Amino acid sequence: MHVSAQFSAPLAAQAPPQFASSVGLASESSGHSSAVFLIEFGAIILGLGLLGRFAARFRLSPIPLYLLAGLAFGEGGLLPLGTSEEFVAIGAEIGVILLLLMLGLEYTASDLVSNLKTQYPAGLVDAALNALPGAAMALLLGWGPVAAVVLAGVTWISSSGVIAKVLGDLGRLGNRETPVILSILVLEDLSMAVYLPIVTALLAGVGLAAGSATLAIALGTAGLVLLVAVRYGRHISRFVSNDDPEKLLLVVLGLTLVVAGLAQQLQVSAAVGAFLVGIALSGEVAEGAHSLLAPLRDLFAAVFFVFFGLHTDPASIPPVLLPALVLAVLTALTKIATGYWAARRAGISAKGRWRAGGTLVARGEFSIVIAGLAVTAGIEPSLGPLATAYVLILVIAGPLTARFTEPVALWVTGRLRKPADGQPDTAVAAADSSAPSDSAALTGAAHEVLPAEERDTAERP
């Protein structure tokens, strides 16, 4: 018998007939809704698992399949959900928090400071080339300045998760261009600590003074956390550390949720709070927390992508498909240009430059996170469908550009620069010498920033 029915039975026996009848109906209704919830949510998790296995078989990112599943079970879909939607919404919020926490665990404060000092020009070029097309598209569509800032973030941020997996799958963790790619990703992720509070303030419609105060709080908090992490990171990690995996999981997860909630209360963004918690932890604690939280991250992140799809009507995608396709092609080219320029600045040969550019094309989780904020705020109905179509295109194209940009680009440039005497072009020949040098050092750099599940690939000969 259902728990509610156990408690309602004695009450019903002692109550008037009308009250007993209502209690009985309530218990039956509660039991029915609970059963429907379990069936719906269980079917969602089972379906996501099967989709993930299907994607892994073909070495694809499961993100587009999760988005399509959300479209199928959301507004205007094949089989709209009923009772489980509220729980899915809570799970989606936890998914965003865990995504940013795990991202913070990959970096140390010293990594971030070092990348800021050495790679900030590449970060500025990346922001200019890839954020401006999104902002321009929003303005051309007549969506207004707030939507322009949001769409700029959607087109700017590459998918760290997809790119990390692609680097491991292609065996490029020790390549010369890999540290350049990772540095750009680190700068993008660090920029989220500034960008997200700005977007949150704009979406909330606060005034200039309140928005400036929110940004000042965010910057001050981020700076303070970095300072504390650099000077006292070992003490924080020692406080959180525990040999018992259960206690370590509970402390890290509880601390993250508390900080995320406080950050959201200050209108700084829960995601930024989680990211800063990850940065503050280091060493064995970060590695242990990463391995314990990875399954939870994967579960709730998948739920988040489904939730985003649930709130996108499939019928709203065809009208924005052409703008999404134009934006995808344009920003794929700008990402390739970004990677090429950054790798050239680092002294990488032509092959490595093209590989760096092609690898950065994929967009994914954080583009959806940014668009999700706008969808929740309801600033522009077409923004969510456009972001969904855009991410679907580039999360599928990303692994393909990572693999084929280099050979296609070298073939085209080789055809354009054929020497008159028919001899091989020495520049092209030199470009072929992009084998890893100092691979041990570069593998170490990859170890610092790539997810733990991908690190083992770096140690293959």
Side-chain angles (χ1 to χ4, degrees):
M1 182 182 291
H2 193 268
V3 175
S4 60
Q6 291 177 346
F7 284 99
S8 61
L11 290 174
Q14 301 173 13
Q18 297 86 350
F19 181 75
S21 176
S22 63
V23 169
L25 290 174
S27 64
E28 289 179 11
S29 175
S30 174
H32 175 71
S33 62
S34 176
V36 172
F37 163 76
L38 292 175
I39 293 171
E40 280 191 356
F41 192 67
I44 292 173
I45 300 302
L46 177 60
L48 292 178
L50 295 176
L51 290 175
R53 291 177 61 179
F54 177 81
R57 181 181 296 272
F58 295 96
R59 292 189 173 184
L60 297 173
S61 168
I63 293 175
L65 299 182
Y66 295 159
L67 288 172
L68 291 174
L71 292 173
F73 294 103
E75 303 171 2
L78 300 175
L79 188 62
L81 296 179
T83 58
S84 63
E85 188 169 351
E86 184 176 352
F87 184 83
V88 170
I90 298 173
E93 192 166 353
I94 295 174
V96 175
I97 291 171
L98 290 178
L99 277 171
L100 271 293
L101 169 66
M102 298 294 280
L103 188 65
L105 289 174
E106 301 300 335
Y107 310 133
T108 65
S110 57
D111 290 335
L112 297 177
V113 173
S114 174
N115 277 286
L116 279 175
K117 289 180 178 178
T118 59
Q119 298 293 339
Y120 73 89
L124 294 175
V125 170
D126 178 38
L129 289 181
N130 297 286
L132 290 178
M137 178 64 75
L139 294 175
L140 287 173
L141 293 172
W143 290 353
V146 176
V149 174
V150 173
L151 195 56
V154 171
T155 58
W156 172 19
I157 305 295
S158 296
S159 172
S160 301
V162 174
I163 290 172
K165 182 168 179 55
V166 167
L167 287 171
D169 290 343
L170 298 180
R172 296 180 181 174
L173 295 180
N175 282 22
R176 290 179 176 179
E177 74 277 1
T178 299
V180 175
I181 297 170
L182 299 177
S183 295
I184 292 175
L185 295 178
V186 169
L187 289 171
E188 287 183 350
D189 297 333
L190 183 60
S191 300
M192 295 278 282
V194 178
Y195 174 81
L196 285 177
I198 294 175
V199 171
T200 303
L202 290 174
L203 293 174
V206 300
L208 179 62
S212 301
T214 299
L215 180 58
I217 292 172
L219 292 176
T221 304
L224 180 63
V225 169
L226 287 176
L227 178 64
V228 171
V230 169
R231 294 191 176 183
Y232 307 105
R234 292 182 179 178
H235 299 289
I236 296 173
S237 298
R238 191 178 301 119
F239 170 76
V240 174
S241 178
N242 197 294
D243 293 335
D244 187 343
E246 178 186 351
K247 294 181 177 62
L248 177 62
L249 173 64
L250 293 174
V251 170
V252 173
L253 183 58
L255 177 64
T256 302
L257 293 175
V258 168
V259 172
L262 292 174
Q264 187 161 319
Q265 193 70 22
L266 295 172
Q267 293 187 344
V268 173
S269 169
V272 172
F275 181 67
L276 294 176
V277 170
I279 291 174
L281 301 178
S282 60
E284 293 182 0
V285 172
E287 293 181 5
H290 190 288
S291 61
L292 290 172
L293 289 167
L296 285 176
R297 185 258 332 254
D298 295 339
L299 169 63
F300 286 104
V303 171
F304 167 73
F305 294 123
V306 170
F307 176 74
F308 186 85
L310 288 175
H311 287 266
T312 303
D313 188 348
S316 65
I317 291 181
V320 297
L321 192 56
L322 181 58
L325 183 59
V326 171
L327 200 55
V329 172
L330 180 59
T331 53
L333 294 175
T334 55
K335 273 294 182 184
I336 292 173
T338 298
Y340 187 94
W341 183 87
R344 181 179 180 181
R345 180 175 175 271
I348 308 299
S349 61
K351 268 191 169 184
R353 297 172 199 170
W354 291 116
R355 283 198 297 264
T359 304
L360 287 169
V361 166
R363 309 307 202 274
E365 59 274 23
F366 296 114
S367 296
I368 297 297
V369 168
I370 295 167
L373 295 174
V375 170
T376 303
I379 61 165
E380 174 54 52
S382 298
L383 181 56
L386 188 144
T388 301
Y390 175 80
V391 170
L392 282 172
I393 294 169
L394 287 185
V395 81
I396 294 171
L400 300 178
T401 59
R403 182 170 297 182
F404 298 112
T405 296
E406 172 214 335
V408 171
L410 291 181
W411 179 81
V412 172
T413 55
R415 299 274 296 182
L416 294 176
R417 299 189 304 172
K418 266 190 176 180
D421 58 2
Q423 296 298 320
D425 190 342
T426 55
V428 176
D432 294 340
S433 60
S434 106
S437 70
D438 295 331
S439 60
L442 294 175
T443 302
H447 271 234
E448 293 180 5
V449 289
L450 281 174
E453 61 266 27
E454 306 295 340
R455 292 174 182 160
D456 295 338
T457 317
E459 299 178 358
R460 295 186 301 187

